[in-house]
Amino acid sequence: MKIQEAINNLAAYALKTGLIKKEDIIYTINSLLIRLGIDAAEFDKADIIALADKIPANGIEDGTYLEEVLKVLDDYAAENGLIENNSVVYRDLFDTKLMGEVTERPSAVIKRFNELYKESPEKATDYYYNFSKNTDYIRRYRISKDMKWIAPTEYGDLDITINLSKPEKDPKAIAAARNAKQSGYPKCQLCWENEGYSGRVDHPARENHRIIPVTINGSEWGFQYSPYVYYNEHCIVFNSQHIPMKIEHDTFCKLFDFVKQFPHYFVGSNADLPIVGGSILSHDHFQGGHYTFAMAKAPVEKEFAVKGFEDVKAGIVKWPMSVIRLSGPDTQRIIALADVILEKWRGYSDEAAFIFAETDGTPHNTITPIARKRGDNYELDLVLRNNITTDEHPLGVYHPHAELHHIKKENIGLIEVMGLAVLPARLKGEMADLKEAILTGKDLRADEVLEKHADWVDAFSKKYDKIDQDNIDEIVQNEIGEVFMHVLEDAGVYKRTPEGQAAFMRFVESI
């Protein structure tokens, strides 16, 4: 594919996906020429229209058509000195500029969203989700590389994903980021100022990114999708102001306000303390989407009533972490009880259960809340969290323990809490090599990469009469799911033992 053909194909793609209209074709091609440093073009408007009609639907849906076109344009940029280094970081910065040329201004996107919202919230989000994919803000061709499967456990089917869609930075880009002048703009990757931002080696380009303003509990928030979409319509709702995360009364109000505006979505907040919180604690935000996680499907195994709140259903959820579910038709009553539970938990200690509200003035107890609508009722799941550390568990007592770090070492945030494991990219290669080593009888402890998995393999191998080429994929996937289940159990403040559940009830009875 020659450069002019690639330019024409990108214009045709933008037309096919509704990013531009027929009247925009000439303007669009000229805009792309400017970005590419080219001062002349060969094209016919009618040919671009005909070309758009021929683009296969599956090439749009899986992103492969756009991927091929952008590769040619990125190669041209690299060959002609338009990018500093021919690596994924610099190529991403450049092709996002190109996609920015075919992305409508924010006002037009907002207007269309609001028009569709009047018909139904679902029509509005369908439009915006597809728009975010078509602009390549969500890079479909990378998302499709993620490894995903379902692992059956005693708590239900857990979602497992090995994240391959975040590109690895090459050494030159890492060095350039280290040596670059530090910028405080935007303040973080959630700030509204990312919309249209050109990016740099240590901050992604966002020329093709558009944000929908929403009013949440009387304040201005932004609504967008995660560029990495770990699950269907994975959205982020963020405060228009760069202020820290905080779990409080207003948090519950905001979660339910969002769910009332978008009843087909759940929404939740990461906890507001290190270790048990998310990766960005400095900017108040929620995550939601159009997906039902295993935790939402998990039943209440023990109901209880709180005096003065008999109209609110309350119960302990059958889940590896410690979850109280509140439900009822009146969100104000649910919020009022959630306030009582949060305040009680913030100051609650139980030495016998190794739960301490604070040590040396440092608070440890917080909550990860998730809101949803189910039928005519609203639900609020309150996941009890504690971030205390010890010499034995320096990363956190209620954090994946060391024997599980060969699979998952990172913090357990909102997404994991609900039952989706986001596992590191290294596992793709390690699991492929591990399966080959098991089948060939290789000594895992003699391999410096695979030795960390040896005890695990020794343990699970005893469960099977035979492991061969026919069943090894399913076995390894299910055993990874089992590890993730234990990760969640480690993160649970009350263990799934008679003693642990008795301690849980002591807290419930104290409310």
Side-chain angles (χ1 to χ4, degrees):
M1 191 189 305
K2 295 180 179 179
I3 185 61
Q4 183 62 59
E5 185 182 358
I7 294 170
N8 293 352
N9 284 345
L10 182 53
Y13 167 87
L15 182 63
K16 176 81 171 183
T17 55
L19 295 176
I20 66 170
K21 297 179 173 60
K22 292 177 182 178
E23 296 84 356
D24 302 321
I25 290 174
I26 294 173
Y27 177 89
T28 296
I29 289 180
N30 283 331
S31 298
L32 294 172
L33 291 176
I34 293 169
R35 286 291 188 187
L36 290 159
I38 300 172
D39 57 11
E42 296 177 10
F43 71 96
D44 182 272
K45 189 175 176 179
D47 290 342
I48 301 294
I49 296 170
L51 186 59
D53 290 336
K54 294 177 184 176
I55 299 175
N58 62 330
I60 299 289
E61 190 55 39
D62 62 18
T64 52
Y65 181 88
L66 181 60
E67 181 182 27
E68 183 181 348
V69 171
L70 291 181
K71 181 183 182 302
V72 174
L73 296 168
D74 282 332
D75 287 346
Y76 176 87
E79 291 163 6
N80 289 271
L82 300 176
I83 57 178
E84 188 176 326
N85 182 266
N86 190 19
S87 67
V88 65
V89 171
Y90 291 94
R91 290 169 74 94
D92 281 3
L93 289 170
F94 183 76
D95 62 39
T96 304
K97 297 183 192 308
L98 299 181
M99 293 308 299
E101 297 295 346
V102 298
T103 303
E104 288 185 299
R105 292 289 180 96
S107 57
V109 179
I110 294 165
K111 180 182 178 183
R112 181 62 178 150
F113 182 92
N114 289 338
E115 288 171 348
L116 290 170
Y117 185 88
K118 291 175 184 176
E119 297 180 38
S120 81
E122 201 157 353
K123 280 188 178 181
T125 55
D126 283 349
Y127 152 74
Y128 183 46
Y129 189 53
N130 285 321
F131 171 83
S132 298
K133 291 187 288 187
N134 291 336
T135 63
D136 209 34
Y137 166 72
I138 296 172
R139 293 180 182 254
R140 285 178 277 204
Y141 44 89
R142 287 189 185 155
I143 303 297
S144 65
K145 292 180 173 66
D146 287 348
M147 297 176 65
K148 298 181 179 182
W149 68 91
I150 301 294
T153 73
E154 62 185 273
Y155 303 105
D157 292 340
L158 300 181
D159 292 290
I160 313 295
T161 178
I162 295 178
N163 175 35
L164 303 170
S165 53
K166 283 188 179 181
E168 298 280 341
K169 288 187 177 180
D170 63 280
K172 288 185 177 179
I174 293 171
R178 185 173 59 246
N179 296 328
K181 181 181 178 182
Q182 293 301 301
S183 171
Y185 183 87
K187 291 179 181 176
C188 77
Q189 291 190 28
L190 289 179
C191 285
W192 212 302
E193 289 77 14
N194 283 279
E195 187 177 49
Y197 183 60
S198 63
R200 51 185 191 269
V201 290
D202 61 348
H203 195 104
R206 290 290 183 251
E207 286 104 328
N208 56 349
H209 179 37
R210 302 294 180 262
I211 296 165
I212 303 297
V214 289
T215 301
I216 306 289
N217 198 36
S219 58
E220 187 176 14
W221 284 56
F223 171 60
Q224 65 183 44
Y225 289 102
S226 165
Y228 307 114
V229 286
Y230 291 131
Y231 50 86
N232 187 47
E233 296 180 43
H234 176 185
C235 70
I236 298 171
V237 192
F238 63 93
N239 198 311
S240 63
Q241 303 299 312
H242 182 80
I243 58 175
M245 301 279 292
K246 189 177 183 182
I247 303 299
E248 58 185 353
H249 167 80
D250 282 353
T251 306
F252 305 139
C253 296
K254 290 168 184 172
L255 293 176
F256 277 127
D257 194 2
F258 180 82
V259 168
K260 287 177 180 179
Q261 293 181 56
F262 300 94
H264 57 300
Y265 277 13
F266 80 89
V267 68
S269 174
N270 266 303
D272 54 357
L273 293 178
I275 297 176
V276 296
S279 57
I280 303 179
L281 292 176
S282 62
H283 196 132
D284 194 17
H285 70 285
F286 307 140
Q287 294 182 79
H290 200 179
Y291 192 72
T292 303
F293 286 92
M295 191 179 83
K297 299 175 186 176
V300 169
E301 61 181 353
K302 188 173 182 62
E303 293 188 357
F304 63 87
V306 178
K307 187 177 180 180
F309 294 93
E310 290 82 2
D311 56 322
V312 179
K313 282 189 175 181
I316 294 173
V317 178
K318 184 183 178 183
W319 191 244
M321 297 185 69
S322 307
V323 185
I324 293 173
R325 178 169 295 158
L326 308 180
S327 65
D330 187 345
T331 58
Q332 292 304 312
R333 294 293 290 158
I334 295 173
I335 290 167
L337 180 50
D339 287 342
V340 172
I341 294 171
L342 174 62
E343 183 179 4
K344 187 69 179 180
W345 179 245
R346 289 280 195 197
Y348 186 80
S349 293
D350 183 347
E351 188 174 353
F354 203 77
I355 292 170
F356 298 94
E358 57 89 22
T359 54
D360 299 324
T362 300
H364 297 305
N365 287 351
T366 186
I367 280 177
T368 299
I370 301 105
R372 67 183 75 87
K373 189 176 186 189
R374 197 190 299 267
D376 293 330
N377 286 328
Y378 292 92
E379 288 183 354
L380 184 64
D381 284 352
L382 303 174
V383 188
L384 307 181
R385 312 298 302 274
N386 180 289
N387 74 346
I388 195 169
T389 61
T390 62
D391 291 340
E392 183 184 359
H393 300 294
L395 298 180
V397 173
Y398 304 107
H399 177 88
H401 289 176
E403 67 271 17
L404 306 177
H405 289 179
H406 66 105
I407 297 293
K408 177 72 173 176
K409 183 179 182 180
E410 297 77 17
N411 291 351
I412 303 305
L414 172 67
I415 294 172
E416 288 88 358
V417 163
M418 295 185 293
L420 190 157
V422 181
L423 302 179
R426 64 174 171 82
L427 287 178
K428 179 185 179 182
E430 288 181 16
M431 291 304 107
D433 293 343
L434 184 71
K435 285 183 274 191
E436 181 181 354
I438 292 171
L439 292 175
T440 58
K442 181 180 176 182
D443 180 6
L444 297 180
R445 289 177 174 80
D447 187 308
E448 63 179 358
V449 175
L450 299 181
E451 63 176 341
K452 60 178 172 286
H453 300 298
D455 289 345
W456 173 54
V457 173
D458 287 347
F460 77 65
S461 295
K462 297 171 185 175
K463 295 161 55 176
Y464 304 94
D465 293 333
K466 67 173 183 176
I467 299 178
D468 57 24
Q469 192 71 47
D470 293 331
N471 65 7
I472 192 164
D473 289 341
E474 182 181 8
I475 286 173
V476 169
Q477 286 188 351
N478 286 343
E479 291 299 331
I480 289 176
E482 193 83 3
V483 170
F484 180 56
M485 180 189 77
H486 293 311
V487 161
L488 295 181
E489 289 176 334
D490 281 352
V493 293
Y494 293 114
K495 303 310 173 189
R496 299 288 303 174
T497 61
E499 297 80 9
Q501 293 306 290
F504 200 165
M505 283 309 298
R506 285 201 297 273
F507 170 67
V508 166
E509 290 163 2
S510 75
I511 299 171

